[in-house]
Amino acid sequence: MPDLLLELRSEEIPARMQRRAAEDLKKLVTDALVERGFLYEGAKAFSTPRRLALHIAGLPARGEAVREERRGPRVGAPEAAIQGFLKSAGLASLDEAQKITDPKKGEFYLAVIERAGRETLDVLAELLPEIIRNFPWPKAMRWGAASAQPGALRWVRPLQSIVATFGPETETPEVVPFAVGGIAAGTVTYGHRFLAPGPIEVRRFDDYIQALERAKVILDADRRKDVILHDARDLAFARGLDLVEDEGLLEEVAGLVEWPVVLMGSFDAAFLDIPAEAIRATIRANQKCFVLRKSGSEDLAPAFILVSNLVASDGGQAITAGNERVVRARLSDAKFFWETDKATKLEDRLPKLGSIVFHEKLGTQGERIARIAALAKELAPLVGADPALAERAARLAKADLVTEMVGEFPELQGLMGRKYAALQGEHPSVCAAIEEHYKPVGPSDRVPSDPVSIAVALADKLDTLAGFWSIDEKPTGSKDPFALRRAALGVIRLILENGLRLPLAGSVLPDAFDAQAAGRMVAIVDLSGGIERIEAELSALPPDTNLLVNPQIADLLGFFADRLKVYLRDQGARHDLIDAVFALPGQDDLLMVVRRVEALGQFLDTEDGKNLLAGVKRASNILRIEEKKDGRAYDAAPDSTLAASGEPAERALAEALAGAAATASQAIASEDFAGAMRALSTLRAPVDAFFQDVTVNAPDPKLRENRLLLLNALRAATRAVADFSKIEG
């Protein structure tokens, strides 16, 4: 079977864009082929700093003929529908369509579309230029004289050559005949810019990858990463050191070189007085180098690993010396920042935060800190923290934002604050909270466990959520510019993974909204009262007051519910069980929601649970039908005397319900959800017998009504745990 080789060679592609671009190229080309009926055996994309490459194996030389039947509108349909049908089917008029009669739906039009198989080479020549012209680079540019013309080719960096060949292994492949932006596809590429700058003739993928290797280009980014990682480890081991591995940096460096050469540099040991994180950030951010540590220790060594793109005649001595000069200068800056920052206490930096705007509608960072400190103090008793320590930690938590070190390396925020706080003698819990209050940042990030850290982290995230809800800046669709979904997930993980009991609607969210009101013309208005009281309350407020109303709290609670569903689904919980628990009113205690879902899932895995679910769903369906037919709700208590005088199965269900409902209610009150499920499981046999032996719609109206009320009692007993009607199965 023939193969396709495609290479798009350009000036240097930013490392952060390479891997995504390679995957985009593969997806765009393969999707376009499959859409046209061309299947293939395999495809792989590659990237280097100067090229994207794609190899598709096992393409047919010619596509198969296609016959498609497309059903159109009814005969006599409006003209717009007919014209739309003709256009989509590629017909000139209705004379080219067939009329088909359907016994139920009448007569309608049918288009039979037949397409002859096309040569794959022709199809490639048609689709590849379109893909290149419309390639989804995050940023692209135009260049040269042609850039002034409308429709000029845009690429991430100036495109220099295209290789595109197609053919079987046993024959000489053909060049795919197309040109883009004045660049015609051919068979010539180039190797390493300095080590092998001459032209290379290539025909098929096997020749191509070997020719590039001889020309000092490793095409596969993952192989370049392996070379860098193993050579760096070996070089460090030979010097009695350990490599501090960094996957993100490794990925970036592999995108900066086509022929990696690993070297080691050093710096003055006096710089080790700087915090290790600052040394690593300096060397990583400015020189794209890896730091080393002493073997068997966490202490950094005064050395680093650099990766060159050259095989130097002097063994890399000049390259290493140049990097050492730059690293020395950068570390001198970092040392200056460190010494300067230590001279000023964190609390002395707080006035500066008063001049930094957090959000134009939410005030400055200084105002935000005041809110977070007040909220952290309120939350502290709920999470077992000392209120004074929580307030102190919250007041200092953002102070390092105006330090020299964090100004240079924003990724060190929190961590540098912790170090500065420790130097000035703050309580260990305060120091930890300053660093940890940002956590968890993502789904795999560590969750703080120190109570003070938890209080400040919750306050920080709740203030953010309450603030943006108060100004109606909520996530929409895929857009979430203020990372509010991440903040809500952080709150959820803090609560669940620390086993906290925090009723959000009852205490936490109102406190957050109250904190938002501090220092601003904001009023919390409860709309649940009478209209006269609300009008009196509103009339007493200044005219420019921003109102926060309790429906905003309910809306934010709903947002938490949605995030909790996502979190639990990721943990493997069934979505229908989550919906069944959230269907109950007042589910704002996230830990209890999770425990209910877990107990419900375990119960429904048993035979009793499955059968009871079937019985409850049957009861709910009967009630829904009969309530709709009668125009009333059967929500009163059944007549126990009437039930006792009824059929044995009816009497048995009434007695079982009375006992099970009471036991389940007691278990739920003590938060023993497994016990509640055990109590409900005793209903399985009486429910089965009731539906087998008793006619619900009895001729006697009183008997019928009481039996419907009995079914409602069954539904109500299970709703103490969850809404069984939401459960699938």
Side-chain angles (χ1 to χ4, degrees):
M1 295 283 281
D3 292 0
L4 168 68
L5 167 63
L6 175 66
E7 182 202 68
L8 304 168
R9 189 179 64 87
S10 67
E11 294 292 341
E12 274 69 10
I13 305 167
R16 67 183 183 279
M17 298 183 186
Q18 291 171 22
R19 193 173 289 271
R20 174 63 183 271
E23 291 304 313
D24 284 343
L25 180 63
K26 181 175 78 170
K27 185 176 190 307
L28 289 168
V29 176
T30 54
D31 285 358
L33 287 168
V34 170
E35 185 180 329
R36 290 163 173 79
F38 291 85
L39 302 182
Y40 58 93
E41 292 177 0
K44 188 168 183 181
F46 305 88
S47 64
T48 79
R50 299 175 63 217
R51 70 200 77 224
L52 297 180
L54 174 66
H55 175 230
I56 301 180
L59 273 171
R62 183 182 179 87
E64 296 182 359
V66 176
R67 186 180 189 277
E68 177 188 355
E69 291 186 354
R70 187 171 298 176
R71 181 168 173 167
R74 295 190 307 275
V75 173
E79 183 64 20
I82 291 174
Q83 291 302 319
F85 164 64
L86 293 175
K87 183 178 180 180
S88 66
L91 304 181
S93 68
L94 287 175
D95 295 337
E96 298 178 12
Q98 300 178 15
K99 291 183 180 179
I100 304 295
T101 301
D102 187 314
K104 295 182 179 179
K105 298 184 178 179
E107 199 172 24
F108 60 90
Y109 294 109
L110 183 75
V112 179
I113 304 169
E114 295 184 351
R115 298 190 185 96
R118 297 179 61 194
E119 295 289 338
T120 307
L121 197 67
D122 295 337
V123 173
L124 290 170
E126 176 185 281
L127 66 87
L128 290 179
E130 191 67 20
I131 289 172
I132 294 170
R133 287 192 195 95
N134 298 293
F135 199 79
W137 290 108
K139 290 184 178 180
M141 62 180 290
R142 296 177 294 178
W143 62 94
S147 64
Q149 303 301 318
L153 175 65
R154 299 174 65 88
W155 201 247
V156 62
R157 295 292 184 270
L159 191 63
Q160 296 178 329
S161 68
I162 300 173
V163 172
T165 65
F166 177 73
E169 295 180 3
T170 55
E171 301 174 14
T172 302
E174 296 183 65
V175 174
V176 181
F178 73 91
V180 179
I183 303 171
T187 59
V188 176
T189 188
Y190 293 80
H192 193 284
R193 183 187 291 277
F194 304 111
L195 301 177
I200 305 169
E201 183 83 15
V202 295
R203 286 289 178 179
R204 55 177 56 86
F205 181 70
D206 290 341
D207 300 337
Y208 170 73
I209 199 167
Q210 292 173 17
L212 285 182
E213 194 93 9
R214 290 192 296 270
K216 304 300 183 188
V217 174
I218 298 176
L219 183 64
D220 190 343
D222 288 330
R223 187 164 160 243
R224 294 198 302 275
K225 287 174 65 175
D226 286 341
V227 169
I228 294 168
L229 184 59
H230 286 92
D231 286 359
R233 286 172 176 168
D234 291 345
L235 189 55
F237 180 75
R239 305 288 180 88
L241 304 173
D242 291 334
L243 177 71
V244 178
E245 297 185 14
D246 185 330
E247 176 62 28
L249 180 59
L250 181 62
E251 176 77 17
E252 183 177 8
V253 171
L256 297 174
V257 297
E258 290 191 316
W259 192 257
V261 178
V262 176
L263 303 169
M264 181 182 290
S266 61
F267 57 85
D268 192 332
F271 288 123
L272 294 177
D273 292 340
I274 307 169
E277 296 83 1
I279 294 175
R280 183 176 178 182
T282 299
I283 293 177
R284 183 190 197 279
N286 294 309
Q287 286 304 103
K288 312 302 179 190
C289 294
F290 299 85
V291 296
L292 300 166
R293 59 175 170 241
K294 299 169 185 175
S295 184
S297 170
E298 292 300 315
D299 296 333
L300 291 188
F304 60 93
I305 292 290
L306 62 111
V307 182
S308 169
N309 195 33
L310 286 173
V311 179
S313 58
D314 64 353
Q317 292 181 19
I319 295 171
T320 302
N323 277 269
E324 287 176 341
R325 282 196 301 273
V326 178
V327 166
R328 185 164 56 248
R330 297 295 188 181
L331 289 177
S332 295
D333 291 343
K335 188 175 182 64
F336 172 78
F337 297 151
W338 170 243
E339 297 296 338
T340 302
D341 288 340
K342 287 194 299 181
T344 305
K345 288 192 172 184
L346 289 176
E347 58 262 40
D348 294 338
R349 297 182 181 276
L350 295 180
K352 275 191 177 181
L353 292 171
S355 61
I356 299 174
V357 175
F358 171 66
H359 187 282
E360 60 179 0
K361 295 182 180 179
L362 296 176
T364 66
Q365 283 283 10
E367 291 171 326
R368 182 165 184 255
I369 287 169
R371 297 196 301 266
I372 295 173
L375 184 54
K377 186 177 182 180
E378 293 295 324
L379 291 173
L382 301 176
V383 300
D386 183 311
L389 290 179
E391 184 179 24
R392 175 68 175 171
R395 290 205 175 276
L396 300 180
K398 308 290 184 184
D400 67 346
L401 295 177
V402 290
T403 61
E404 299 288 343
M405 190 71 82
V406 174
E408 181 71 14
F409 302 108
E411 65 271 25
L412 296 181
Q413 61 184 303
L415 187 145
M416 295 310 302
R418 178 176 191 160
K419 292 187 178 297
Y420 297 139
L423 285 174
Q424 68 184 45
E426 296 292 339
H427 190 282
S429 291
V430 171
C431 298
I434 291 173
E435 178 184 3
E436 295 178 339
H437 81 280
Y438 292 105
K439 296 180 178 294
V441 176
S444 60
D445 195 19
R446 180 178 64 84
V447 174
S449 57
D450 184 283
V452 175
S453 297
I454 294 169
V456 181
L458 282 172
D460 182 37
K461 293 167 178 57
L462 288 169
D463 176 80
T464 299
L465 289 161
F468 284 105
W469 246 254
S470 73
I471 61 174
D472 201 27
E473 290 276 2
K474 308 175 214 175
T476 56
S478 61
K479 295 181 179 179
D480 187 9
F482 304 110
L484 301 181
R485 292 188 180 97
R486 186 174 72 187
L489 180 59
V491 171
I492 289 168
R493 290 190 62 202
L494 283 163
I495 291 173
L496 297 185
E497 295 183 31
N498 286 295
L500 301 177
R501 300 298 308 280
L502 290 178
L504 290 177
S507 60
V508 175
L509 290 183
D511 284 344
F513 276 95
D514 279 327
Q516 278 292 325
R520 296 194 293 137
M521 292 298 292
V522 179
I524 310 294
V525 180
D526 185 357
L527 296 188
S528 60
I531 188 65
E532 293 181 0
R533 188 196 60 75
I534 294 173
E535 288 179 347
E537 184 176 340
L538 293 178
S539 63
L541 296 172
D544 58 346
T545 299
N546 178 27
L547 299 180
L548 303 180
V549 297
N550 63 350
Q552 288 174 309
I553 297 178
D555 185 53
L556 182 50
L557 184 62
F559 181 71
F560 273 109
D562 290 340
R563 291 297 92 201
L564 180 60
K565 290 177 186 178
V566 172
Y567 172 80
L568 291 178
R569 281 199 294 267
D570 289 344
Q571 302 299 312
R574 285 170 46 181
H575 68 89
D576 56 332
L577 303 190
I578 301 169
D579 290 339
V581 172
F582 267 115
L584 302 180
Q587 296 306 305
D588 66 333
D589 189 329
L590 302 185
L591 186 62
M592 291 302 99
V593 168
V594 173
R595 290 180 179 173
R596 280 178 187 259
V597 170
E598 291 172 350
L600 185 58
Q602 292 169 2
F603 175 57
L604 293 176
D605 284 340
T606 66
E607 204 61 34
D608 283 345
K610 292 174 185 175
N611 286 320
L612 180 61
L613 172 63
V616 173
K617 290 176 80 71
R618 183 176 178 184
S620 297
N621 288 334
I622 292 172
L623 282 167
R624 188 183 68 254
I625 293 169
E626 298 305 315
E627 285 176 339
K628 182 177 180 181
K629 183 171 68 178
D630 298 346
R632 56 161 292 191
Y634 289 96
D635 53 3
D639 186 333
S640 57
T641 304
L642 194 57
S645 62
E647 298 185 24
E650 183 178 2
R651 187 164 58 252
L653 178 58
E655 292 172 355
L657 272 172
T663 304
S665 295
Q666 291 174 359
I668 289 170
S670 60
E671 298 176 355
D672 179 11
F673 300 113
M677 297 299 175
R678 286 193 298 272
L680 293 178
S681 68
T682 62
L683 295 174
R684 180 230 171 144
V687 168
D688 289 347
F690 179 85
F691 282 119
Q692 182 176 344
D693 300 340
V694 177
T695 301
V696 175
N697 285 320
D700 184 341
K702 288 186 177 181
L703 197 56
R704 171 180 175 271
E705 178 183 16
N706 203 55
R707 288 173 178 174
L708 289 172
L709 294 174
L710 197 59
L711 294 184
N712 177 67
L714 171 63
R715 182 174 63 180
T718 56
R719 274 186 174 168
V721 175
D723 186 346
F724 276 43
S725 68
K726 303 286 186 182
I727 302 174
E728 297 176 358

